[in-house]
Structures are given as structure tokens and as C-alpha cells.
Amino acid sequence: MTKNRWLIALSAIAIHLSIGGAYAYSVYKKPIVEAMGWSETEVTLAFTIMMALAGTSAAFFGKFVEKNGPRKSAMVAAVLFGLGQAGSGVAIMIDSLPLYLLTYGFLSGLGMGIGYISPVSTLVKWFPDRRGLATGMAVLGFGAGALITAPVAASLMQSVGISTTYYILGAGYFILMFLGASYIAPPKAGWIPEGMKQDIESGKKELKKDLRQSTAKEAVRTKHFWMLWFMKLINTSAGIMMISVASPMAQDVVGLSVAGAATLVGIMGIFNGGGRLGWAAASDYIGRPNVFVIFFIIQIAAFLLLPTTTNSLLFQGLILLVVSCYGGGFSNLPAFAGDLFGTKEIGAIHGYLLTTWSLGGVCGPMLVTYIRESTNSYIPVFYVFAVLITIAFVISIMLRLDIKKMRNAQEQQGFKATVEKIS
């Protein structure tokens, strides 16, 4: 019996909602510092370790996901992430910073990386007709996880304490991820939805083939992989940079109030999540190469306008556009990888591409901090990122043209083979 692909999507969202809860880390920082006496730097280190491991573990365990399948992989992720969160409660209870770094940082990071790629690579196979929408739904869940966890965690810490909060949430994450993992499975080879099959047979729709069917090892040897990798790295660095300094930047450049800046940060979360779903859904109609070109056009305009903008509403609007492109980059990445390299080892390929997540998470904030401290201004930051985004724009145009050239060549070969067969 064929599984319901929309329930597969719901299962993926359940997994991503859970691991996305880790982005609500800021609500834990102050209570932990005050209760434990640990420094803010020490407490932040746990989150840094987790985020660094999330991207790298996605790369290292991509082959594991392909070999063992999404169900077993997602269950491993559930155990690691659940233990990491619940174990953090034990670390707080016995006042052990090393254990906290091991549980919240190391175990949760491993669970997040494996849990991120396990369902997404499967969704690409279940939705050949709506790859963008499917991956967008799952990655939206990842972005929404923090919005749900933040108020719940804050309320629980006030009523039952930090340790018990970690126990409750760790158990909740594990149950939700395990339930999602239990239903997830890849479709049979060559499966396509009934509606899509009928459209193809009636001539309403043409089956759009992937550019190639590559293994992960073959994919990383192509220029297309590295073009997409660099585009994603720059897009991620710009987005995380903006997220990391949006509040002080808006206060410093256009004089936004502290309350206004806090509101901006909250709205950024909505645009980050909305961009993941909106841009991904749009890519099914206008194509992934075109979406990335649009990302970079928007961001070039934004980064060139930001230094001269004195209107606070316009300034905030430009920041929100950049953040939506950041979110859209994550949701379009697995679908774009599937278009370029097929679904044979999409989990491993997506994992390799997600190294840009860890690297961009370091490069973006470090670059903006260095420039701000060196010049005592955020204005040069905008121009530096305008140059970087322009480079990404040029790469995106080159990739788009190269894809078109390859598709034309494939069509000509197909036509030639058909003529030879007939004759």
C-alpha cells in the first residue's frame, strides 16, 4: 500500500518543528547565567557548538541517511536530540558546564544535523511535481520551531525551573520526532503521483527530468555543485549577519527604539519562516535557478539602499527582504540539488551543501563584528556584502545559462535518438 505523501510531509514538519526549537536558545541564556553563575560566553558556547555541528553532521551523516533510510536515521536523530535536551537538565541540576556543552552542544547538534536532512531528502522523492512546496513546508517547520518553543520554555522555567523544563521539552521533542520518523519512508523507484501521471499521459504536462542522476561523490566533482555551494554560502552569510546584528544595527543607523528593535527581531522570524515556504512554492512555477537570481537582485538593491536610508520603516523593510531570501535559500536548496543531481543520493548531496550553514554562521557574524569594530560604523558592512552578493549574482547567472545549455543539448540528443530509432 502506498503511503499518503501529505502525511509524509506532516511527519517531516513534526521532526523539523522539534529540532527548530533549538533556535529559541536566547530564552534560556539569562535564566541559566543568573541561576548557575556561568558566564554569558560559556552559556553561549553550547549554542555555538550545536550550530557548528548541525551543518557538519549533516554533511558527515548524509551517507548514513542514504544507507539506512529516512526512518532509521530520523529515529537516531530523535534519540540524540531528545537526550541532548533532557541531558541539559541533568547538567543544570548537578551544576556541570562540561556536561551541558556535551549534551546541549554536542548531542543536540548531531541530532539536529541528521534530523534536518532525513525527512527533506525523502520529500524531494515524494513530490516530483512540487519539490519546492514540499521542502518549503518542512523547512518552515524548522523556522517555526523557535516561535513555539520560546514562549513555552519561558513559561515552564518560571513555573517548574530550568532542569524540569529541559526534561519536559526533551521528552516532547523525542515523542514528536519518533512519531514523525515512524511514518516516513521513501516511495518506490520511479513512483509519480496519480494526478501527475494522468497529466503526462494526456499531454497536459511534460515530465521534467533531472539534469543528471549522480552519486554524492560524482556531484562534488562537478562545477555545478560548487557554484551552488558558493551561492548558498554567500546567501547564508548575509542572512545570518543580518539576524545577528539587526537590533543594534537598526538602533545605530536609523535610531530605532529598543522596543522597536525587539519588534523587528520578532517580525524577522515571521519573514524567515514565510520566505522558506513562499519562495519554495514560487520556485515550482518559475524555476530554482530564477529564484536564486531574484534573491541576489533583491539583496544587491537592499545592501546598496541601506547605507543611504534614513526612513526607519524602509530600513526595516529592506532588512526583512534580506531575511526572507535567507530563509528561501534553505528551502530551495534540496529541491535545486534534486534538479541538478537527481534523487539517487540526494540526502548525502544536501548534507554536503549544508556545510555552508555552519560556515556562513561563523563568517557572517565575524565579518560584521570585525568591520563594525574597525570602522565604528555599520555603513561599510552594507557595501562589503553588496560586493559579495554581486559575486553570487554573477555565479547564479552563469549557473542558469549552463543549465539551459545542458538541457538544450540533452533535448537535441533525445531528438536525434528518436529520429534514428524511427529510421
Side-chain angles (χ1 to χ4, degrees):
M1 182 181 169
T2 303
K3 294 197 172 191
N4 186 307
R5 63 177 181 158
W6 294 102
L7 289 179
I8 295 279
L10 191 62
S11 300
I13 292 169
I15 294 168
H16 272 229
L17 272 172
S18 301
I19 59 176
Y23 267 111
Y25 189 68
S26 59
V27 300
Y28 295 105
K29 281 173 68 176
K30 192 175 179 182
I32 292 173
V33 169
E34 291 175 351
M36 309 307 299
W38 301 342
S39 72
E40 194 168 318
T41 303
E42 289 171 332
V43 175
T44 304
L45 181 59
F47 182 74
T48 305
I49 292 170
M50 180 180 65
M51 294 311 298
L53 266 173
T56 51
S57 65
F60 282 115
F61 287 94
K63 283 282 188 183
F64 174 85
V65 173
E66 293 295 343
K67 184 179 179 182
N68 294 282
R71 180 182 297 165
K72 190 180 287 186
S73 302
M75 284 181 176
V76 169
V79 172
L80 288 170
F81 193 76
L83 276 177
Q85 296 294 301
S88 301
V90 176
I92 295 293
M93 185 178 70
I94 65 173
D95 193 7
S96 173
L97 178 64
L99 182 61
Y100 187 73
L101 297 178
L102 176 67
T103 52
Y104 199 96
F106 189 76
L107 288 180
S108 294
L110 285 178
M112 182 186 280
I114 299 170
Y116 189 94
I117 58 173
S118 298
V120 172
S121 58
T122 306
L123 281 179
V124 170
K125 297 171 185 176
W126 275 105
F127 287 83
D129 53 338
R130 298 178 184 177
R131 276 181 181 171
L133 175 63
T135 55
M137 285 189 295
V139 181
L140 171 62
F142 185 79
L147 294 175
I148 296 170
T149 295
V152 172
S155 177
L156 282 172
M157 281 190 285
Q158 287 183 341
S159 57
V160 297
I162 303 169
S163 290
T164 308
T165 297
Y166 274 126
Y167 299 148
I168 293 170
L169 289 178
Y173 294 143
F174 173 77
I175 292 168
L176 201 58
M177 291 177 75
F178 198 84
L179 287 173
S182 299
Y183 192 77
I184 279 184
K188 292 178 182 178
W191 177 88
I192 58 173
E194 196 58 41
M196 185 179 179
K197 191 186 294 182
Q198 290 172 3
D199 286 344
I200 292 168
E201 288 171 355
S202 64
K204 280 185 183 178
K205 190 179 284 184
E206 187 180 341
L207 180 62
K208 191 175 181 181
K209 293 182 179 179
D210 299 323
L211 201 61
R212 54 172 81 79
Q213 289 292 330
S214 305
T215 62
K217 192 178 285 187
E218 289 166 346
V220 296
R221 290 174 180 164
T222 67
K223 63 180 179 180
H224 287 171
F225 176 90
W226 292 105
M227 291 167 90
L228 183 55
W229 190 91
F230 276 108
M231 284 158 51
K232 184 68 176 66
L233 175 63
I234 294 172
N235 194 63
T236 302
S237 298
I240 293 181
M241 176 281 291
M242 198 63 86
I243 290 169
S244 69
V245 296
S247 178
M249 180 187 283
Q251 292 175 60
D252 187 62
V253 179
V254 291
L256 204 64
S257 66
V258 175
T263 302
L264 170 63
V265 171
I267 297 171
M268 282 169 66
I270 297 170
F271 271 74
N272 184 359
R276 290 167 191 255
L277 184 61
W279 284 116
S283 74
D284 287 331
Y285 297 96
I286 63 175
R288 255 70 70 178
N290 291 330
V291 165
F292 270 87
V293 170
I294 293 168
F295 283 164
F296 300 131
I297 291 173
I298 288 172
Q299 290 181 87
I300 289 168
F303 280 114
L304 290 176
L305 284 170
L306 280 165
T308 58
T309 301
T310 54
N311 183 289
S312 66
L313 284 177
L314 178 59
F315 189 87
Q316 291 175 77
L318 292 170
I319 288 177
L320 293 173
L321 279 174
V322 172
V323 172
S324 82
C325 294
Y326 163 76
F330 276 100
S331 58
N332 273 284
L333 184 65
F336 204 169
D339 294 345
L340 291 173
F341 307 111
T343 57
K344 187 191 288 187
E345 291 190 3
I346 186 62
I349 295 167
H350 184 211
Y352 289 150
L353 288 166
L354 281 175
T355 52
T356 56
W357 183 11
S358 295
L359 194 57
V362 174
C363 292
M366 280 183 63
L367 188 57
V368 68
T369 302
Y370 174 76
I371 295 170
R372 173 74 174 82
E373 288 177 353
S374 301
T375 63
N376 200 32
S377 171
Y378 282 109
I379 301 301
V381 173
F382 303 132
Y383 292 118
V384 169
F385 274 91
V387 171
L388 291 174
I389 294 292
T390 302
I391 294 169
F393 171 70
V394 172
I395 295 172
S396 71
I397 292 291
M398 290 169 63
L399 178 57
R400 182 179 177 276
L401 291 173
D402 210 46
I403 291 170
K404 192 174 181 181
K405 184 179 175 183
M406 280 188 69
R407 288 208 181 278
N408 288 338
Q410 287 174 354
E411 285 174 10
Q412 287 175 5
Q413 285 177 354
F415 178 74
K416 188 178 178 182
T418 303
V419 170
E420 287 175 355
K421 192 174 181 181
I422 293 170
S423 59

